[in-house]
């Protein structure tokens, strides 16, 4: 019989299951649960985008594309980045179409990190950075961003975390799970610290389109930052296209080339049908983004006020579609709070510590759900917190 403990790599065996997954597993088979756990739009992909995908299949575009993505898509992407975010990238050499932003993140890490190298990861944040750094043989250096810092990475904390081995700095803003954004002046202060090093920045801007009020600013637009920044983005959140698995990176040629080599051997190219659909999204999708954003904004305003009113304080998030609410003041750990809320009121939310230890005392709620759904969840949460008093 095969001995799997010997068959599996040490790195794979050391990988811990995601804290979010653990909570999803608890939901399985339960009836009547109101879930606010999922980080994906509740909208279906707009029809003109779906049609472009359908047409591409009907027209026989069922083959591999250029490894980097179709030239047409990269041209549209280049126009889009310029139009929406003042980012200038050469479609021939600086853009790479990937399997979701997820692949772009993995490529960015693997293209820059050698065994023992350090990657700075501000937390609480999305769950993939640390495990992917681990698989690349690197070491995550976690910066704990706390409520006192408004969950933002500060230049002081960044400077203190940098060593000679720092190869990559992850900037995950707008943030999942906190909804925090970094404004230009804050990015400038971080850039000042980063420019003293030889480190590359992995700027995960998947929520760039979903900011409420203040326009997203990419660190790559700041002086001298473009040459050391890998911008990662994708179609999942802005265009409600999670299942199409399409993302991209934008970075100077040397960085793109290194990522491209890994991409070419690992996946050949991103799905062809998705590239055709995404090209339409880039061309004619601005109004869809606006429509969905307005709806998220309505929900955001409702939810923040409602939660504060029932004794679950949370700051107003400025981006993405999450609320990071305080639960620690009820004397329960984040996990206890969420487990009991699920048991007693059938509402599912994600414990804050799933996004890093500094998320303890908090919980993440997604408002990528209808207002009706949110209202029912709030009603149940109110009953739950009343019972804790
Ligand atoms: C911050 C962040 N980055 C990246 C991703 C992955 O996105 P994609 O579906 O494009 O792989 C997510 C998905 O939740 C996310 O929240």
């Amino acid at each position: 019989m095969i001995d799997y403990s010997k068959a599996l790599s040490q790195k794979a065996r050391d990988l811990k299951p995601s804290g979010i997954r653990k909570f999803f597993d608890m939901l399985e088979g339960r009836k009547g649960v109101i879930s606010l756990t999922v980080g994906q739009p509740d909208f279906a992909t707009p029809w003109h985008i779906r049609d472009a995908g359908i047409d591409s299949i009907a027209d026989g575009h069922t083959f591999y594309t250029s490894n980097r993505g179709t030239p047409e898509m990269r041209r549209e992407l280049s126009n889009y980045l310029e139009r929406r975010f003042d980012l200038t990238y050469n479609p021939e050499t600086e853009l790479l179409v990937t399997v979701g932003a997820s692949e772009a993140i993995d490529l960015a890490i693997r293209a820059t990190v050698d065994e023992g190298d350090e990657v700075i990861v501000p937390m609480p944040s999305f769950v993939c950075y640390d495990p992917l750094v681990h698989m690349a043989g690197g070491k995550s250096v976690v910066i704990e961003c706390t409520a006192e810092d408004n969950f933002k990475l500060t230049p002081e904390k960044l400077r203190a975390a940098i060593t000679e081995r720092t190869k990559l700095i992850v900037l995950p803003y707008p943030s999942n799970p906190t909804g925090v954004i970094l404004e230009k002046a804050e990015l400038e202060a971080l850039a000042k610290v980063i420019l003293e090093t030889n480190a590359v920045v992995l700027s995960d801007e998947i929520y760039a389109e979903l900011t409420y009020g203040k326009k997203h600013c990419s660190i790559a637009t700041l002086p001298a930052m473009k040459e050391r920044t890998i911008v990662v983005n994708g179609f999942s959140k802005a265009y409600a296209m999670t299942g199409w698995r399409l993302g991209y990176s934008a970075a100077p040629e040397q960085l793109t080339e290194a990522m491209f080599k890994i991409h070419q051997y690992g996946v050949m190219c991103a799905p062809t049908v998705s590239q055709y659909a995404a090209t339409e999204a880039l061309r004619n999708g601005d109004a869809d983004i606006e429509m969905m954003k307005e709806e998220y904004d309505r929900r955001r305003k409702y939810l923040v006020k409602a939660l504060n009113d029932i004794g679950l304080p949370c700051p107003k998030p400025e981006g993405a579609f999450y609320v990071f609410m305080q639960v620690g003041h009820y004397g329960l750990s984040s996990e206890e709070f969420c487990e009991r809320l699920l048991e007693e009121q059938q509402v599912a939310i994600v414990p804050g510590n799933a996004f890093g230890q500094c998320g303890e005392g908090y919980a993440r709620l997604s408002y990528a759900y209808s207002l009706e759904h949110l209202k029912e969840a709030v009603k149940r949460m109110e009953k739950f917190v009343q019972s804790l008093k």
Side-chain angles (χ1 to χ4, degrees), residues 122 143-145 148-160 173 182 186 189-190 193:
I143 299 184
E144 302 210 324
C145 304
E148 292 80 67
D149 310 323
N150 297 318
F151 294 111
K152 294 183 186 201
L153 176 61
T154 63
E156 296 75 26
K157 283 193 176 172
L158 177 60
R159 180 170 275 117
Y173 299 99
L182 290 189
E186 293 164 325
L190 294 175
V193 178

Side-chain angles (χ1 to χ4, degrees), residues 242-259:
T242 48
W244 300 77
R245 307 309 305 126
L246 209 68
Y248 57 89
S249 64
E253 185 169 352
Q254 286 88 338
L255 290 168
T256 300
E257 270 318 294
M259 292 168 66

Side-chain angles (χ1 to χ4, degrees), residues 327-363:
V327 298
H329 53 297
Y330 287 103
L332 302 173
S333 72
S334 295
E335 284 195 28
E336 284 166 346
F337 185 95
C338 296
E339 281 171 21
R340 282 190 52 186
L341 178 62
L342 181 61
E343 287 300 331
E344 295 171 29
Q345 289 297 333
Q346 287 78 46
V347 176
I349 57 176
V350 183
N353 63 340
F355 307 95
Q357 262 325 303
C358 52
E360 181 52 50
Y362 290 80

Side-chain angles (χ1 to χ4, degrees), residues 26-47:
M26 282 175 58
L27 295 185
E28 251 183 41
R30 282 177 188 260
K31 294 226 166 67
V33 173
I34 288 268
S35 170
L36 302 184
T37 54
V38 173
Q40 69 173 335
D42 55 319
F43 300 97
T45 307
W47 261 114

Side-chain angles (χ1 to χ4, degrees), residues 121-129 170 172 175-178 354-356 358:
V121 182
M123 284 190 167
S125 60
F126 183 50
V127 292
C128 79
Y129 313 115
V170 178
S175 163
N176 170 9
T178 62
F355 307 95
C358 52

